[in-house]
Amino acid sequence: KVGKVDILINNAGIVVGKSILECPDHLMQKTIDVNCTAHLWTIKAFLPAMLESNSGHIVTVSSMAGLVGVSGMVDYCASKFGACGIHDSLSMELRLRKSKVRTTLVCPFYINTGMFDGVKPGLFPLLEENWVANRIVKAIRRGEEVLCMPWIMGLMPMFRFLPAPWFAWIVTFTGANSSMSDF
């Protein structure tokens, strides 16, 4: 048994990197369980004490793949979209309660941890893991609610308001849609 947890960082993640028809069912389920469902269990375990003390911080480490779907990662994108949805709904619940428990959603581009060895990042370089970790700590200290890395990637969801073929062109132009082709 441990004492009260002040900061919960939901950061577990796995990737298969296969098209939906090539990805075995059990690996799709594992991706959803680790990248999404686990957030529910950790929140349920640690949120009650945070609510009782009216303090704490829950960090959801999702991905840019939780905001924009790309080829070769249907299961991964679904799991990360799910993590974003959990975060958004939890944040709204906390606002409704007028709770002082804070939340931060983190949506990084590919990070150079080895998890995405073989990815072709396109226009944007892989992010360095120490830089990402330091930036997350800074976001927590500043009370930032959303952190996209690099910052310009945070503009991608705005392009969803464009006609679908235009949005697809932008995702393809950046190299994101073919980033997993040699994974």
Side-chain angles (χ1 to χ4, degrees):
K1 188 137 175 133
V2 296
K4 179 185 171 289
V5 171
D6 295 310
I7 301 174
L8 169 62
I9 300 178
N10 279 318
N11 187 45
I14 61 171
V15 65
V16 178
K18 296 186 180 299
S19 72
I20 191 165
L21 296 178
E22 295 173 343
C23 189
D25 294 349
H26 74 281
L27 291 180
M28 284 193 293
Q29 185 62 57
K30 185 175 180 179
T31 300
I32 298 295
D33 290 345
V34 171
N35 297 359
C36 183
T37 308
H39 290 235
L40 297 170
W41 305 136
T42 57
I43 291 166
K44 285 189 79 165
F46 297 110
L47 181 60
M50 290 180 181
L51 290 173
E52 187 175 313
S53 67
N54 202 29
S55 69
H57 203 118
I58 298 174
V59 179
T60 302
V61 180
S62 182
S63 169
M64 284 308 301
L67 300 175
V68 177
V70 295
S71 177
M73 297 197 329
V74 172
D75 59 328
Y76 184 81
C77 291
S79 71
K80 294 300 186 172
F81 268 82
C84 288
I86 291 168
H87 170 85
D88 287 350
S89 294
L90 175 64
S91 296
M92 290 298 121
E93 282 190 19
L94 293 170
R95 284 180 194 277
L96 189 62
R97 294 174 81 113
K98 297 183 181 359
S99 173
K100 291 186 180 175
V101 176
R102 301 293 172 237
T103 60
T104 299
L105 174 65
V106 179
C107 295
F109 188 60
Y110 297 116
I111 304 172
N112 192 14
T113 61
M115 187 166 136
F116 284 99
D117 281 350
V119 73
K120 296 186 307 187
L123 286 181
F124 302 99
L126 294 175
L127 301 174
E128 292 304 319
E129 60 187 314
N130 286 335
W131 181 83
V132 170
N134 288 330
R135 186 60 188 88
I136 292 171
V137 170
K138 186 185 283 186
I140 293 168
R141 287 183 174 153
R142 289 180 174 174
E144 293 178 44
E145 294 185 29
V146 178
L147 171 61
C148 292
M149 295 178 277
W151 68 269
I152 197 160
M153 297 297 279
L155 301 176
M156 286 298 286
M158 292 189 329
F159 293 125
R160 286 218 176 263
F161 293 106
L162 295 172
W166 296 7
F167 178 72
W169 182 87
I170 291 169
V171 174
T172 301
F173 174 77
T174 64
N177 203 36
S178 59
S179 62
M180 298 296 285
S181 60
D182 294 330
F183 187 71

